[in-house]
Amino acid sequence: MESGTTTITTVDHDHDHDHGGGTAISDVHQDVIKTHILTRLDGATLASASCASSHLHALSTEEQLWREICSSTWPSIDDPRVRHVISSFPGGYRSFFSDSFPLLHHGSPPKQHHHLHHHNRPFLAEIISAVDVHYKESLIFSKVQENETKSDWFLYSPFRFDLLEQKELVQTPIRHIGENQAWLDHLEENLKLSWILIDPTRNRAVNVSSWSPVSVQRHWLTGDVQLRYSTVVSGGEGTSELVQCAVVVTCEGKVGGAMHVREVSMQVEDLEGKHLNGKDSLVILQGAMESGKRKKERKGEGKERVEEFLKMKRERKERKQRRERALDMACIATGLTIFVAFWSFLLFR
């Protein structure tokens, strides 16, 4: 996903003839451009090139070109069901890339959240997850999962998507080379994850992963390594609340041996540390799909936002504890006052 970037320079045709310069891009045969230039670009560069001139725009909108880019970026979307859904997007694979490549960026609450409860805009009936995990640019895990979202069990239970069964393990080429911080830093640098949620009804998608881990920790007892790929988004219109879409990957293995993935899951957590239920999570995710901001982030920006979220979470917890201590002291003082008043009444009446 973080492939190299190629720069395209276009030359104004009229300006070029006036000054006897080089060949303008419009003078290059379109087969040469499509076959030898555009096919070498990543999606972000191709999107930029399409804005450079009307000639490049016409050449860079071909469906097959975007399909190849999307498939190489997210191998999981070669699943037949996902291909069928993407074919229904307004701009096909180009629209899908526009929804899924820029990472979700929290800002002001999505303007359409209040419509989600309207009878003409029911909850998502189904969500498709397309998940890919890469280690040093090599794919080590890829899966598509469809989840029904209309049952009461889903709507009112804590929201959680699990891609692996309880005892299922995924073998990886990752060698467990040590237990020090350098090894954890190595995983943070090289283990990347993409989790795209797709609405097959409204033909929208959103990538809820941070791509790089925002934290890598070793469990003190089991030795398992837990990587978190989190995105902070708005908790809804009319509120300044934020929530965290937390994707967790848990790996196990002994030093010197291969590591195995035993958990790939996602939950939505608020500032109280509570995991939201399916109904509340659907409101947030559907709003993020339809009107959440997408942004190409600088390295480490997502991690900084999660750290800010965790800081807000700690501060809220501390305020709650102070209020509870103050309430406890008030109750104790009230009790002592009543106790003293009662005995004073008995002794001095």
Side-chain angles (χ1 to χ4, degrees):
M1 189 170 171
E2 292 182 332
S3 55
T5 300
T6 303
T7 301
I8 286 186
T9 303
T10 60
V11 180
D12 184 85
H13 195 277
D14 295 333
H15 179 86
D16 179 63
H17 279 286
D18 291 342
H19 293 81
T23 303
I25 190 69
S26 57
D27 292 333
V28 181
H29 196 280
Q30 65 178 17
D31 289 342
V32 174
I33 297 176
K34 290 192 292 186
T35 305
H36 298 287
I37 298 178
L38 298 185
T39 56
R40 299 173 181 269
L41 305 182
D42 59 23
T45 308
L46 181 61
S48 298
S50 68
C51 300
S53 71
S54 59
H55 183 59
L56 281 177
H57 178 77
L59 295 178
S60 62
T61 56
E62 291 194 4
E63 181 72 354
Q64 183 60 30
L65 185 61
W66 283 101
R67 176 176 175 173
E68 292 174 358
I69 287 175
C70 289
S71 296
S72 62
T73 306
W74 307 292
S76 59
I77 68 171
D78 279 334
D79 179 90
R81 174 72 199 285
V82 178
R83 289 204 306 266
H84 175 71
V85 172
I86 295 177
S87 68
S88 302
F89 275 51
Y93 280 87
R94 188 181 185 191
S95 294
F96 179 80
F97 186 89
S98 178
D99 274 355
S100 306
F101 178 75
L103 297 179
L104 195 60
H105 180 77
H106 89 271
S108 58
K111 297 180 180 179
Q112 299 178 5
H113 269 177
H114 66 286
H115 293 303
L116 298 178
H117 292 292
H118 194 277
H119 66 278
N120 290 327
R121 298 182 62 79
F123 285 121
L124 299 172
E126 179 186 20
I127 292 182
I128 301 176
S129 295
V131 182
D132 298 286
V133 182
H134 289 81
Y135 175 70
K136 289 185 174 181
E137 307 301 328
S138 297
L139 184 69
I140 64 172
F141 176 78
S142 183
K143 185 172 182 176
V144 170
Q145 179 170 291
E146 302 175 36
N147 289 92
E148 175 273 330
T149 61
K150 297 180 69 175
S151 67
D152 288 342
W153 179 87
F154 177 88
L155 292 174
Y156 299 104
S157 298
F159 173 86
R160 182 184 175 98
F161 286 159
D162 281 292
L163 300 188
L164 299 178
E165 299 295 333
Q166 188 172 4
K167 295 184 179 180
E168 184 179 0
L169 294 176
V170 177
Q171 295 184 352
T172 75
I174 306 174
R175 308 299 297 182
H176 197 319
I177 58 176
E179 297 186 351
N180 54 21
Q181 185 60 41
W183 166 239
L184 300 181
D185 293 341
H186 172 82
L187 292 178
E188 181 176 347
E189 182 68 26
N190 294 285
L191 203 58
K192 313 296 184 182
L193 180 142
S194 168
W195 190 311
I196 300 175
L197 296 176
I198 305 170
D199 178 357
T201 303
R202 297 181 179 86
N203 299 322
R204 294 304 304 266
V206 66
N207 199 330
V208 296
S209 171
S210 56
W211 181 235
S212 295
V214 298
S215 70
V216 182
Q217 297 178 337
R218 182 187 302 280
H219 192 278
W220 67 273
L221 181 60
T222 64
D224 293 349
V225 177
Q226 187 180 80
L227 302 97
R228 295 177 67 90
Y229 302 79
S230 299
T231 300
V232 178
V233 298
S234 168
E237 186 179 21
T239 175
S240 59
E241 290 291 301
L242 299 174
V243 299
Q244 177 182 207
C245 296
V247 176
V248 175
V249 175
T250 302
C251 302
E252 65 177 30
K254 297 181 179 179
V255 177
M259 295 192 70
H260 308 285
V261 177
R262 69 171 182 84
E263 177 192 6
V264 183
S265 65
M266 184 182 73
Q267 291 182 290
V268 180
E269 178 184 338
D270 65 12
L271 283 169
E272 299 286 346
K274 180 181 68 175
H275 291 132
L276 303 186
N277 62 25
K279 183 178 180 180
D280 294 337
S281 298
L282 283 182
V283 172
I284 292 168
L285 294 175
Q286 189 171 337
M289 282 186 189
E290 296 183 358
S291 41
K293 294 182 179 179
R294 273 74 165 177
K295 177 184 176 183
K296 186 175 182 180
E297 300 179 338
R298 58 178 171 78
K299 185 176 181 180
E301 185 175 352
K303 186 174 182 179
E304 291 173 3
R305 288 209 309 273
V306 172
E307 289 174 350
E308 291 174 4
F309 176 86
L310 296 177
K311 180 181 178 182
M312 293 171 62
K313 183 178 175 182
R314 289 192 300 269
E315 291 174 347
R316 174 168 294 194
K317 182 178 179 180
E318 292 170 357
R319 288 196 300 269
K320 183 178 180 181
Q321 289 175 341
R322 286 195 297 268
R323 287 195 300 268
E324 290 176 347
R325 285 195 297 267
L327 181 60
D328 290 341
M329 293 300 296
C331 291
I332 292 172
T334 302
L336 287 174
T337 301
I338 294 173
F339 178 81
V340 171
F342 174 74
W343 281 104
S344 296
F345 173 77
L346 293 178
L347 294 175
F348 301 107
R349 64 177 178 173

